[in-house]
Amino acid sequence: MNNFFKAISLIAAVCVAAGCGGSVVAETTAGAGIQAETSTVSETTTAAESVSAEIEELEVDHVDEDGIVYYKNPTEWTYEKFFSELTINGKSIEAPLTIEKFGKDFSLNTDTAEYLEADMVVCAEMSYKGSTFANVTLKDCQNEQDLSNKEIRLLVLSDVLYECDDFPNILISGIGISSNRNDIISVFGVPFKENATDGSIDDTITYYSESCTLIFRLSQNAANTIYIIL
């Protein structure tokens, strides 16, 4: 398994075992491959004045020693809200999220499955029409073959770490891979935190609640990886 995804999956597994919320993953993801640099949030311009105004109204609570910007009054995306807005190739999905609910064109790459016995989770890659596009962590598994109808604890979508010929249309309130920062904030509201850079490394935008964490990793202002921690 890709070492980057393995590190993320291990973090999720710890959360499953400890019963903790997404904050541990959100805080630790930087150490697993998303670097942070001391920086300030630069002014953002857009053709849509309403979007620009909303972004400019973001009020900073504090900036930590790593340059991560925390905002006041962040919008809370709960487990229930996430599922009310989730669509996969145009189809609404009810909780809990399982591999089977994605549809016939999706499959788990069982040859990549890795079982973490202490935490009873399986980490594996996932394909769409034969092309790998994601990594998942399944909870409450007895072994690496116990995969049927297991709840997904972590879903990592990426069009940069994997080469998928036909990337699936997985959207949360219309936002998905290739969405830009302005659109994400316009639709999702005030982030919990963000690291905004000069473009030398990827930016990240995090929405956090005790039941759901969403992390958008952006390169050149477009989301290329999305972390969904449930």
Side-chain angles (χ1 to χ4, degrees), residues 32-49:
I34 301 178
Q35 302 176 21
E37 291 183 353
T38 301
S39 59
T40 58
V41 179
S42 60
E43 294 183 2
T44 305
T45 59
T46 176
E49 292 183 359

Side-chain angles (χ1 to χ4, degrees), residues 44 50 52 79 84 96 121 126 135 141 148 150 175 184 222 230:
T44 305
S50 59
S52 178
Y79 184 87
S84 72
V121 301
M126 188 174 177
N135 181 276
C141 301
S148 179
K150 296 300 181 181
I175 296 296
I184 292 170
L230 302 169

Side-chain angles (χ1 to χ4, degrees), residues 77-84 95-97 151 209 211-212 230:
W77 275 78
T78 62
Y79 184 87
E80 292 78 14
K81 186 175 182 179
F82 167 77
F83 278 101
S84 72
L97 185 60
E151 184 175 352
S209 77
S211 59
C212 179
L230 302 169

Side-chain angles (χ1 to χ4, degrees), residues 10 14 16 41 53 75 79 82 93 104 153 157 168 174 182 205 225:
L10 288 171
V14 170
V16 172
V41 179
T75 303
Y79 184 87
F82 167 77
I93 304 296
K104 62 180 180 63
R153 176 70 170 89
L157 311 171
N182 293 3
I205 302 173
T225 306

Side-chain angles (χ1 to χ4, degrees), residues 69-174:
V69 179
Y70 290 80
Y71 293 106
K72 293 183 178 180
N73 304 312
T75 303
E76 187 175 84
W77 275 78
T78 62
Y79 184 87
E80 292 78 14
K81 186 175 182 179
F82 167 77
F83 278 101
S84 72
E85 298 294 337
L86 174 66
T87 59
I88 298 176
N89 288 345
K91 179 183 176 182
S92 296
I93 304 296
E94 295 183 355
L97 185 60
T98 65
I99 300 295
E100 289 79 4
K101 290 182 179 179
F102 278 76
K104 62 180 180 63
D105 290 326
F106 296 84
S107 60
L108 198 65
N109 302 347
T110 55
D111 59 332
T112 67
E114 181 174 351
Y115 182 57
L116 305 179
E117 183 176 3
D119 305 309
M120 296 180 65
V121 301
V122 169
C123 308
E125 295 175 354
M126 188 174 177
S127 292
Y128 176 63
K129 295 182 178 180
S131 296
T132 302
F133 78 99
N135 181 276
V136 297
T137 297
L138 307 176
K139 61 186 292 187
D140 298 328
C141 301
Q142 299 299 317
N143 51 57
E144 62 184 16
Q145 285 82 41
D146 183 26
L147 307 174
S148 179
N149 291 305
K150 296 300 181 181
E151 184 175 352
I152 294 175
R153 176 70 170 89
L154 169 70
L155 174 64
V156 183
L157 311 171
S158 181
D159 72 346
V160 63
L161 298 174
Y162 290 126
E163 294 182 3
C164 186
D165 297 330
D166 183 15
F167 204 89
N169 196 24
I170 299 176
L171 302 175
I172 311 161
S173 196

Side-chain angles (χ1 to χ4, degrees), residues 157-161 167 177-179 202 216-220 222-226:
L157 311 171
S158 181
D159 72 346
V160 63
L161 298 174
F167 204 89
I177 293 294
S178 80
S179 293
D202 291 351
F216 298 88
R217 185 179 185 184
L218 293 81
S219 179
Q220 298 181 342
N224 59 35
T225 306
I226 301 174

